Amino acid sequence: MRRVLAAAVVALATPLAFLTAPAVPSSAAQVSRPVVRAIPRPLFRRPPIDVAAVQEAHSLVVDAQARGVGVTALRQEWQRVANCEVAGNWAMVGPEYSGIGFLNSTWEAYGGTRYAPVAGRASRDEQIIVGMRVTGDWIPDQYGCDPGGW
């Protein structure tokens, strides 16, 4: 009978054992899992593309190729024009002439206002691009300056 009674106690006690939480020793209760934190990654942001600058560079390369020279040589040739026309002052702004001797009306007529209101406010490369449009890919004579502008 003892066996039957013991078996009955075990049979009744087993489901109760699964329903109660096991006792945790005090040393194990203080041990915890390490907290893993994600390392913040810096956000990579591509600088915005300056479309106008890309188009300007492309135009300058195309103009240089039309002359059969490199961009550096093209800039040097136009620097001689600037030296002749306005003593090298690309930023010259006047009521009638600006930049490297552009008539302000010529600057407007050939699309220079896309870059600046007058040539003297535009960059050297922008003035070269418009200058190449005005002259049809020809560089003015650097040794016979035209005091009337062009």
Side-chain angles (χ1 to χ4, degrees):
M1 175 93 177
R2 277 191 206 165
R3 285 186 190 179
V4 174
L5 192 56
V9 169
V10 169
L12 290 173
T14 302
L16 290 175
F18 289 120
L19 294 176
T20 60
V24 179
S26 63
S27 64
Q30 294 180 11
V31 175
S32 64
R33 291 181 154 182
V35 177
V36 179
R37 295 188 178 149
I39 299 171
R41 288 188 234 159
L43 297 176
F44 176 73
R45 294 190 180 168
R46 184 185 318 198
I49 296 174
D50 185 353
V51 176
V54 171
Q55 290 173 342
E56 177 184 316
H58 176 72
S59 295
L60 201 59
V61 169
V62 169
D63 289 341
Q65 288 175 344
R67 295 268 308 148
V69 298
V71 173
T72 303
L74 183 68
R75 285 179 178 143
Q76 288 172 349
E77 290 181 44
W78 280 97
Q79 182 61 48
R80 286 193 290 272
V81 173
N83 290 342
C84 179
E85 294 284 339
V86 292
N89 182 9
W90 291 81
M92 190 269 300
V93 175
E96 198 170 335
Y97 305 102
S98 294
I100 52 176
F102 282 106
L103 284 168
N104 290 337
S105 59
T106 303
W107 178 255
E108 290 175 18
Y110 283 87
T113 54
R114 171 181 178 215
Y115 303 114
V118 293
R121 302 258 188 260
S123 71
R124 291 178 186 202
D125 288 346
E126 292 164 346
Q127 291 182 50
I128 291 170
I129 291 167
V130 175
M132 293 296 282
R133 284 186 206 149
V134 171
T135 63
D137 295 333
W138 168 78
I139 307 235
D141 179 15
Q142 299 94 24
Y143 304 105
C145 300
D146 183 5
W150 50 286

